[in-house]
Amino acid sequence: HTHTHTIVMTTAQQQHVIFVTTPDLAQINVLDQFHGTWLPDIKACNTASAICGYLAPALAVVAAQATVAPCSASSGQDSPASEALPSAVELAAVLRNVAAVRPHVRDAMTFVRDCRERYVAAHRCRFAAARDAKAYAKAWVANYEISDYIKHLVSRSTEAAASWRAARTTATTTA
């Protein structure tokens, strides 16, 4: 038996609605992919105006950052601090923060643009006409490109964590 609840939140810009369809699943409307605020990023990265493929991983990163409890700095351990997770309303507010989301959208756009440029350079015979390369650059993001970007994020995070651990180990052994 499914219940539907609607919570209307008014902000300075517009009304946002959270649709809860089950106790464990919610649709939270956060950012409009077609809003003009994204135009500078779209133009700079020469991508399609439909940016859902860039927003999805960007919002996932911001949501993860907002919901993963930080490590306890006072204990010096890698154990999570005892902070409560944000509520759906608090999380929605974080995800509506364009300034918080934009760098991740731009990073995804840049990653896909660079991958596509390398592909075109390596496969010139498939892009004989300039318009073919331009159309490829402006195509919607494919699922495999989102997957490649997420793998890139994981790799980058793993490398950063390894560097942090190495620096911490060096600092501990030299102290």
Side-chain angles (χ1 to χ4, degrees), residues 48-68:
S49 60
I51 64 165
C52 56
Y54 302 114
L55 272 169
L59 289 167
V61 168
V62 174
Q65 290 171 342
T67 57
V68 174

Side-chain angles (χ1 to χ4, degrees), residues 66-70 81-87 90:
T67 57
V68 174
S82 59
E83 294 182 22
L85 291 174
S87 69
E90 292 166 333

Side-chain angles (χ1 to χ4, degrees), residues 18-29 88:
I18 299 175
F19 301 97
V20 180
T21 54
T22 71
D24 301 322
L25 180 65
Q27 173 181 313
I28 304 173
N29 298 335

Side-chain angles (χ1 to χ4, degrees), residues 1-5 21-23:
H1 181 214
T2 302
H3 299 281
T4 302
H5 306 278
T21 54
T22 71

Side-chain angles (χ1 to χ4, degrees), residues 14-105:
Q14 63 185 3
Q15 288 188 332
H16 299 283
V17 180
I18 299 175
F19 301 97
V20 180
T21 54
T22 71
D24 301 322
L25 180 65
Q27 173 181 313
I28 304 173
N29 298 335
V30 289
L31 292 171
D32 178 2
Q33 69 169 323
F34 298 109
H35 192 276
T37 194
W38 306 110
L39 286 177
D41 305 295
I42 290 167
K43 288 181 181 181
C45 294
N46 192 33
T47 192
S49 60
I51 64 165
C52 56
Y54 302 114
L55 272 169
L59 289 167
V61 168
V62 174
Q65 290 171 342
T67 57
V68 174
C71 292
S72 175
S74 61
S75 69
Q77 301 295 317
D78 289 334
S79 59
S82 59
E83 294 182 22
L85 291 174
S87 69
V89 172
E90 292 166 333
L91 181 57
V94 170
L95 296 176
R96 288 188 184 106
N97 181 342
V98 174
V101 176
R102 171 174 266 127
H104 302 288
V105 170

Side-chain angles (χ1 to χ4, degrees), residues 87-137:
S87 69
V89 172
E90 292 166 333
L91 181 57
V94 170
L95 296 176
R96 288 188 184 106
N97 181 342
V98 174
V101 176
R102 171 174 266 127
H104 302 288
V105 170
R106 187 66 171 265
D107 188 54
M109 287 178 170
T110 301
F111 176 85
V112 171
R113 180 200 60 207
D114 293 351
C115 289
R116 288 177 177 185
E117 286 175 356
R118 285 191 300 274
Y119 184 82
V120 168
H123 301 91
R124 285 278 178 213
C125 61
R126 294 184 182 183
F127 301 95
R131 73 177 181 280
D132 296 335
K134 185 176 180 177
Y136 178 62

